[in-house]
Amino acid sequence: MRAYLATSIGVACTAVLVLPLSLPAGALAASPAAPPSGRDAGVRTGPGAHSAAAAVPGSTESVPLRPLGSTRAPGGIAEQGVAAREVRPFSLVGVVWDDADDELRGTVQVRTRAVGSHVWSDWLEVETHNQEHGADPGTQERDSGTVRGSTAPLWVGDSDGVELRVRAAEEEDETGPVRPLLPRGLRLELVDPGEEPEALPYPPSQNSPETRPGAESGTATGAESGTATGTPVSLGTGVSPASGTMTGELAGAAAMSAEDRASSAANEGLTELGAAEIPALTKAAVAAQQPDAAAKAYAAPRPRIITRKGWGANESLREKRFGYTSTVKAAFVHHSATGNNYTCKQSPSVLRGIYRYHVKSSGWRDIGYNFAVDKCGNIYEGRAGGVAKPVLGAHTLGFNTNTTGIAVLGSYGGTNPPAAATTAVAKLTAWKLGLHGRNPRAKVTLTSGGSGKYGKGARVSLNTISGHRDGFRTDCPGSRLYGKLGTVRTSAARYQGR
């Protein structure tokens, strides 16, 4: 997606079923059904909806757009929107439409009112170029019939008022200025990510990008020692470091739902069932677990990873079965384009919002990214299936096979990514690629599934750690983050001992 910084428009992004690589038709169950007309009462209903939907925390309110003014395109309305109104509380917004193959050629602007106040934000831009994300053409997920066109989601914080305007771009043809039609079925999605799974403290520290001077230098550090940087999210669940006793999710593992148990069990051998995090592991310990000589020689320390349980993923939302590819040859780095107006304490909420938007609003089978990294350097498990396994994601159109996708939460077209975030990306890629014996500074050859930039079947040489724009015509992961990938590759290779 194009780089986007959320600025004011002054005016100023218990069983696991292993699936075959090709994911043929019928290999996956249908994704959630398309949204009903008008608002929904919290969770979408209809054919394919989960039976436990009524109990899902969080909600999605879907509001159809209406014509604004009298501006018309040939055969249709050139401007649609939602008049200023009071709505149920929400924290993340996006716009969806009926046909995923249609492109929204124009601008989307939103302003919101903070909960408990009369204060409205300035107009904010919503990133419209989101087609380059999602499942590859020809896969069951993409061809399910439930996938919808969508903008990138935008995090706006706790809000209870909204106003939206969508305007078709003015273009030129042989007859002069024209405005293309807007996609059919435009709807505003207002996402409430729900409450935290526990009362979890996330205090900033002197290492936090919010408090540390010069934190936005984007320089990866600590590669030799493998020590953590940034502010760790403090999860009051799992194993108590002081006593080693079970608390929170571990104590209640026996009461987990089947979906919760399956998601957690996919990380068997890395942490306890129901744990909120996967602990860091030394280089020597990781190497001792590798059966392959190349992976053993260049194993990297495993960084601490917050599990789906830890960030509060509601497992009843996603498709129940997991999809895998055969290996991991490369990592694609993204920015989420959700804006930078979030604190590290809010990162789990941002993730729950993106997850719900990908599944409920966009019609995907799960969150698209394999991993996420916040501005404080915390690493989160993304799509379910196991962090050490080659889970098939939906992040880089045409190149989801044999790759992993990492989203840095935020928008980095005009803002430097914090050093803690780029360091975390280096640590994560060193470990994940090291499991498959991949050199972070090398090139790999991938076969395109059809991306717009490369035709289907094209064999493409790419960096083992690439930016999204390397595989698709897009500004993602933003020019500032993309400019740091050279440092990320060098640091990741150093973690592997190269």
Side-chain angles (χ1 to χ4, degrees), residues 158-409:
D158 293 340
S159 306
D160 60 8
V162 68
E163 184 176 6
L164 178 81
R165 58 193 185 196
V166 178
R167 187 173 179 82
E170 185 172 288
E171 300 178 354
E172 294 282 338
D173 68 6
E174 62 276 3
T175 64
V178 297
R179 291 188 185 276
L181 287 173
L182 291 171
R184 291 175 181 251
L186 287 167
R187 308 180 67 83
L188 170 64
E189 302 290 287
L190 304 173
V191 179
D192 170 15
E195 298 299 321
E196 301 289 352
E198 298 261 348
L200 306 179
Y202 302 89
S205 74
Q206 293 306 307
N207 287 327
S208 170
E210 297 162 356
T211 58
R212 188 175 67 255
E216 291 192 345
S217 66
T219 303
T221 59
E224 293 85 354
S225 64
T227 55
T229 60
T231 302
V233 171
S234 178
L235 297 165
T237 57
V239 176
S240 168
S243 65
T245 58
M246 291 193 303
T247 62
E249 274 78 30
L250 284 184
M256 295 169 65
S257 70
E259 293 91 349
D260 286 333
R261 184 175 294 273
S263 179
S264 185
N267 290 313
E268 182 180 4
L270 307 182
T271 191
E272 298 291 338
L273 185 67
E277 65 178 64
I278 296 168
L281 201 61
T282 66
K283 177 180 177 69
V286 173
Q289 297 174 350
Q290 305 311 308
D292 180 79
K296 188 182 294 289
Y298 295 109
R302 184 181 69 207
R304 170 182 176 265
I305 302 171
I306 297 169
T307 64
R308 290 169 63 91
K309 185 73 171 180
W311 56 263
N314 190 296
E315 301 295 352
S316 70
L317 298 182
R318 63 168 174 83
E319 160 61 41
K320 289 182 174 60
R321 293 178 289 175
F322 305 147
Y324 296 100
T325 184
S326 61
T327 187
V328 176
K329 292 183 177 180
F332 281 99
V333 178
H334 305 254
H335 67 171
S336 64
T338 44
N340 301 316
N341 188 30
Y342 75 93
T343 66
C344 294
K345 178 180 179 179
Q346 293 174 318
S347 297
S349 294
V350 175
L351 266 178
R352 291 196 304 278
I354 295 173
Y355 171 42
R356 176 173 277 276
Y357 183 75
H358 281 180
V359 176
K360 289 298 188 183
S361 300
S362 303
W364 300 2
R365 63 187 302 270
D366 195 350
I367 190 170
Y369 306 114
N370 297 103
F371 297 93
V373 173
D374 70 19
K375 63 174 70 174
C376 291
N378 296 297
I379 300 171
Y380 301 85
E381 178 183 15
R383 182 163 283 208
V387 298
K389 299 176 183 178
V391 176
L392 180 65
H395 49 82
T396 306
L397 188 67
F399 291 101
N400 291 307
T401 298
N402 294 337
T403 67
T404 193
I406 302 165
V408 180
L409 299 181

